[in-house]
């Protein structure tokens, strides 16, 4: 793998890590499989691209999507808590609705951002171009990880974590768990949309289909991170997600190098996640067999 | 301080599964009352505690706490002034969070939760002191995840969490039933100690009649959604387990049926 290719994978790993952190919040902290992600990622990209082409400052165009994504998360949260729709279905409904909304926002299915000033091109004007993107994304990820780590140790952060851990318990201590779920979904999808906004500026376009497969890619990053780096404490777990995202992008790059097609990647990712989810069970089973054979002999 | 008037709870109304779990219940608790609740399976004991805590709405009647009608308040709002310990030791603590994190969440009962750090340094000593009272060595395990602890240890922590902020009312639903006899005994002792020291107004469901007679200052017996016997302090002191059983048969004309009644003294 060439140095350039390697660096590109790390850049991608970092920018998608922000999305993966969003998935971590719902999947691991709230224990909620949230499919809104597929729509809110695209929403972030769509809002950013549209704002940029309308002449807004790239900073504005990168931050407004956070609010858009958070609103999407709130809607899924309301459907689930007040509407009593299952979490999975609530996410699917919002995701489906967002598909239409994203097309409305963009006006067409693809908005190119070539030859326009973006957050990424701006940074390239400030620091040496070769490392500019990498440094910029690393900085964004660092700030987000630190903020999230801090939040999860605040009183409200405790309540959000406990809601995912043992809803009965925290309700019996006076917390409105509905609100905590909505808050968690808002933060998660806000981050996912921010990631989408940056990805659009990084790759130079927003596309209506760019969110497809995002949830599984996010899960893959979360799980790879846990396997490789562990998840003993919150800071450990969030850093692991970032590491997992980078490793995942590197693995994808290697898969392409050895001759897989880009269109095969979703299958590869899905298989990867299945292996990661199933392997603890297989390990247990192997251990049991071993024990059985030891006592049997 | 707590007053239930004419409280009725019907599950699955207007269906074949309709079940009157509580029928026109009248119950009044004075400040500092410690009432034990006994009754056969399905008598409505858990339902009584659940409607007080606001787990589900009642179909008729009123519930007032300190003169305020709490009937319309959601469960989490009532939790501001009501502490609970459940039968299942897993239910009262967050397993993937540490002992001190769990305690700090209990400290925040009834307060607004903002963006202050969940645990402040000065709280640690307080938590350690409180845990030391349990005499389980938990004061040295503040940073351990609760999921690593045994059921008895978790139940002891839950009891501590339920009482940490001196709630107006403490609801205990067979909170020792899932524990081994030795641990159960320990938790009962802790309950007596904590309730006594803080003079907490308490409702405690138990299947252990001896315990129901020994603890607290009042006893109620439930059957088919009704309170069929109420013993005030002086009567309760004179009552025996056999006396209670005879009382039940006399009142109901049938033998006391429960798979968990503990007759031994
Ligand atoms: N959520 C519910 N939905 C429908 N029926 C219920 C529900 N909860 C309780 N019941 C019914 O209400 C009646 C009273 O139940 P409850 O749990 O209060 O009894 P209990 O006195 O606590 O019994 P046990 O000693 O077995 O714990 C039972 O017939 C039970 O089947
Ligand atoms: Mg019960």
């Amino acid at each position: 793998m060439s140095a350039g290719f390697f660096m590109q994978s790390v850049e991608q790993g970092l920018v998608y890590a922000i999305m993966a952190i969003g998935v971590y919040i719902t999947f691991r902290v709230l224990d909620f499989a949230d499919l809104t992600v597929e729509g809110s990622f695209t929403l972030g990209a769509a809002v950013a691209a549209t704002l940029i082409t309308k002449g807004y400052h790239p900073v504005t165009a990168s931050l407004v999507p956070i609010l858009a994504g958070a609103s999407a998360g709130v809607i899924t949260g309301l459907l689930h808590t007040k509407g009593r729709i299952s979490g999975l279905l609530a996410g699917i409904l919002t995701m489906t609705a967002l598909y239409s909304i994203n097309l409305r926002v963009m006006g067409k299915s693809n908005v190119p951002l070539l030859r326009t000033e973006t957050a990424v091109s701006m940074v390239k004007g400030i620091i040496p171009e070769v490392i500019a993107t990498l440094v910029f994304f690393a900085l964004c990820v660092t700030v987000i990880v630190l903020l999230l780590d801090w939040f999860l140790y605040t009183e409200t952060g405790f309540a959000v974590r406990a809601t995912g851990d043992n809803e009965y318990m925290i309700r019996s201590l006076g917390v409105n768990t509905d609100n905590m779920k909505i808050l968690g979904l808002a933060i998660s999808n806000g981050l996912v949309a921010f990631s989408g906004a940056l990805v659009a500026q990084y790759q130079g376009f927003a596309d209506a289909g760019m969110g497809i497969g995002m949830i599984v890619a996010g899960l893959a990053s979360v799980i790879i991170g846990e396997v490789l780096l562990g998840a003993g404490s919150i800071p450990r777990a969030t850093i692991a997600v970032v590491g997992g995202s980078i490793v995942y992008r590197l693995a994808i790059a290697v898969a392409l190098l050895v001759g897989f097609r880009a269109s095969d990647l979703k299958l590869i990712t899905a298989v990867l996640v299945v292996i990661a989810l199933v392997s603890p069970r297989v390990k247990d089973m192997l251990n049991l067999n071993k024990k059985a054979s030891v006592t049997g002999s | 301080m707590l007053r239930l008037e004419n409280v009725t709870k019907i599950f699955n109304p207007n269906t074949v599964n309709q079940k009157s779990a509580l029928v026109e219940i009248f119950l009044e608790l004075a400040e500092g009352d410690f009432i034990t609740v006994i009754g056969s399976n399905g008598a409505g004991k858990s339902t009584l505690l659940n409607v007080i805590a606001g787990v589900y709405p009642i179909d008729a009647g009123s519930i007032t706490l300190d003169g305020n009608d709490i009937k319309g308040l959601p469960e989490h709002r009532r939790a501001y002034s009501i502490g609970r310990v459940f039968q299942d030791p897993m239910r009262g603590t967050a397993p993937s969070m540490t002992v001190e994190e769990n305690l700090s969440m209990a400290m925040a009962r009834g307060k607004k939760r903002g963006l202050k750090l969940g645990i402040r340094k000065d709280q640690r000593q307080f938590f350690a002191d409180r845990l030391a009272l349990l005499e389980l060595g938990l004061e040295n395990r503040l940073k351990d995840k609760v999921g690593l602890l045994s059921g008895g240890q978790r139940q002891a922590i839950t009891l501590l969490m339920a009482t940490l902020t001196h709630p107006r009312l403490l609801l205990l639903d067979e909170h020792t039933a899932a524990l081994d006899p030795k641990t159960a005994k320990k938790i009962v002792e802790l309950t007596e100690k904590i309730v006594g020291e803080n003079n907490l107004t308490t409702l405690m469901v138990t299947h252990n009649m001896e315990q129901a007679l020994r603890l607290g200052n009042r006893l109620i017996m439930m059957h088919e959604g009704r309170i069929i016997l109420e013993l005030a302090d002086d009567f309760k002191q004179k009552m025996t387990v056999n006396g209670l059983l005879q009382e039940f048969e006399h009142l109901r004309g049938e033998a006391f049926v429960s798979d968990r009644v503990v007759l031994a003294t």
Side-chain angles (χ1 to χ4, degrees):
Chain A
M1 203 189 298
S2 75
F5 206 58
F6 178 79
M7 217 159 98
Q8 214 179 7
S9 299
V10 177
E11 285 169 9
Q12 288 180 0
L14 288 168
V15 72
Y16 283 103
I18 300 172
M19 176 275 298
I21 290 169
V23 171
Y24 164 78
I25 294 173
T26 45
F27 186 63
R28 280 299 185 228
V29 177
L30 275 183
D31 195 17
F32 186 111
D34 176 33
L35 291 180
T36 316
V37 168
E38 308 241 326
S40 55
F41 185 80
T42 316
L43 178 67
V47 171
T50 307
L51 287 176
I52 285 173
T53 51
K54 288 215 166 20
Y56 283 88
H57 194 278
V59 172
T60 314
S62 303
L63 295 181
V64 172
I66 298 178
L67 295 179
S71 317
V74 168
I75 289 174
T76 301
L78 288 173
L79 289 176
H80 174 56
T81 58
K82 310 296 176 205
R84 304 207 180 275
I85 297 172
S86 84
L88 213 54
L89 185 56
I92 289 173
L93 288 169
T94 311
M95 173 189 85
T96 307
L98 280 174
Y99 192 78
S100 301
I101 292 172
N102 292 337
L103 283 170
R104 280 278 181 182
V105 170
M106 295 195 288
K108 51 191 172 184
S109 65
N110 189 297
V111 178
L113 290 173
L114 303 171
R115 287 179 299 281
T116 36
E117 178 93 312
T118 66
V120 175
S121 69
M122 266 175 65
V123 180
K124 284 185 176 160
I126 306 169
I127 22 184
E129 203 173 321
V130 217
I131 54 161
T133 313
L134 192 75
V135 170
F136 173 50
F137 288 163
L139 205 73
C140 291
V141 169
T142 308
V143 170
I144 287 169
V145 165
L146 290 178
L147 274 177
L148 182 66
D149 287 352
W150 163 78
F151 172 72
L152 291 176
Y153 281 107
T154 63
E155 293 172 337
T156 306
F158 277 7
V160 171
R161 286 163 62 194
T163 299
D165 208 15
N166 186 347
E167 207 177 324
Y168 295 115
M169 168 265 187
I170 194 67
R171 207 183 296 133
S172 78
L173 293 177
V175 168
N176 183 338
T177 49
D178 285 358
N179 288 352
M180 293 305 117
K181 287 181 194 169
I182 294 170
L183 177 63
L185 283 163
I187 296 174
S188 164
N189 283 286
L191 289 176
V192 170
F194 182 55
S195 175
L198 292 182
V199 167
Q201 298 176 70
Y202 174 56
Q203 65 186 16
F205 63 90
D207 184 273
M210 66 193 275
I212 297 172
M214 235 3 101
I215 184 77
V216 178
L219 286 179
S221 308
V222 171
I223 294 168
I224 292 171
E226 281 170 2
V227 171
L228 296 182
L229 299 167
S233 64
I234 295 285
R236 181 70 172 264
T238 50
I239 273 295
V241 175
V242 177
S245 175
I246 293 171
V247 171
Y248 169 68
R249 292 295 154 181
L250 286 170
I252 292 285
V254 170
L256 288 175
L257 272 186
V258 300
F260 283 102
R261 294 188 205 158
S263 55
D264 296 333
L265 293 181
K266 292 205 168 42
L267 173 63
I268 296 173
T269 308
V271 170
L272 214 72
V273 171
V274 169
I275 292 173
L277 288 176
V278 172
S279 64
R281 282 180 176 233
V282 175
K283 223 193 270 170
D284 284 350
M285 261 150 56
L286 290 178
N287 278 342
L288 279 182
N289 287 344
K290 225 186 281 166
K291 267 183 211 142
S293 63
V294 168
T295 49
S297 64
Chain B
M1 50 110 37
L2 177 75
R3 199 178 151 83
L4 277 74
E5 236 172 296
N6 207 16
V7 169
T8 296
K9 174 71 202 170
I10 303 167
F11 285 113
N12 311 312
N14 307 320
T15 69
V16 284
N17 294 323
Q18 171 160 333
K19 173 83 207 171
S20 299
L22 295 177
V23 185
E24 296 168 5
I25 296 278
F26 280 86
L27 182 65
E28 188 156 9
L29 275 71
E31 191 81 44
D33 264 351
F34 182 171
I35 302 188
T36 54
V37 185
I38 57 170
S40 38
N41 291 126
K45 306 179 295 293
S46 298
T47 307
L48 177 68
L49 266 52
N50 281 331
V51 298
I52 295 171
V55 177
Y56 16 71
I58 52 177
D59 297 291
S62 74
I63 306 176
T64 53
L65 185 62
D66 292 325
N68 304 312
D69 186 353
I70 60 167
K71 191 171 64 180
L73 289 182
E75 184 182 356
H76 68 91
R77 281 289 293 122
R78 296 193 206 181
Y80 283 18
S81 37
I82 300 178
R84 296 194 76 180
V85 184
F86 307 98
Q87 178 173 349
D88 179 2
M90 302 303 137
R91 201 161 149 172
T93 42
S96 75
M97 299 177 74
T98 64
V99 171
E100 61 178 11
E101 285 172 346
N102 272 276
L103 289 173
S104 76
M105 289 188 283
M107 275 302 277
R109 180 198 296 278
K111 302 196 188 85
K112 191 161 163 30
R113 287 165 212 255
L115 292 176
K116 276 187 293 199
L117 281 185
I119 296 176
R120 289 177 293 283
K121 285 228 169 59
D122 55 309
Q123 285 183 327
R124 290 219 168 88
Q125 191 54 50
F126 174 73
F127 291 158
D129 292 346
R130 285 313 179 97
L131 286 165
L133 296 177
L134 303 178
E135 294 169 0
L136 292 169
L138 291 168
E139 60 276 18
N140 304 318
R141 302 189 66 176
L142 280 176
K143 294 199 185 296
D144 281 359
K145 290 192 173 165
V146 169
L148 299 171
L149 305 178
S150 71
Q153 289 171 323
R154 287 181 71 165
Q155 202 67 327
I157 292 178
T158 308
L159 184 61
L160 191 60
M161 286 167 62
T163 53
L164 206 54
T165 53
H166 306 280
R168 294 291 293 144
L169 186 65
L170 178 63
L171 302 177
L172 308 170
D173 191 353
E174 295 190 55
H175 68 305
T176 63
L179 306 173
D180 64 80
K182 190 162 157 272
T183 315
K185 187 160 170 279
K186 173 88 194 161
I187 297 291
V188 170
E189 284 167 15
L190 285 171
T191 307
E192 278 189 270
K193 182 166 139 183
I194 292 175
V195 170
E197 282 171 5
N198 300 294
N199 195 29
L200 293 172
T201 310
T202 304
L203 262 176
M204 175 175 128
V205 176
T206 175
H207 267 89
N208 185 325
M209 293 210 182
E210 179 274 329
Q211 204 178 73
L213 285 172
R214 190 170 52 80
L215 300 181
N217 65 329
R218 287 168 66 191
L219 178 149
I220 59 177
M221 182 192 277
M222 293 186 67
H223 184 65
E224 290 178 350
R226 297 168 201 271
I227 296 175
I228 58 166
L229 176 72
E230 224 185 308
L231 293 180
D233 209 3
D234 38 351
F235 286 99
K236 183 164 165 293
Q237 278 173 19
K238 281 180 257 161
M239 185 58 85
T240 60
V241 170
N242 272 331
L244 266 185
L245 289 172
Q246 276 164 17
E247 206 49 66
F248 180 84
E249 279 171 44
H250 168 71
L251 282 163
R252 276 295 147 208
E254 55 184 291
F256 197 97
V257 264
S258 169
D259 52 4
R260 273 176 291 166
V261 165
V262 178
L263 296 167
T265 50

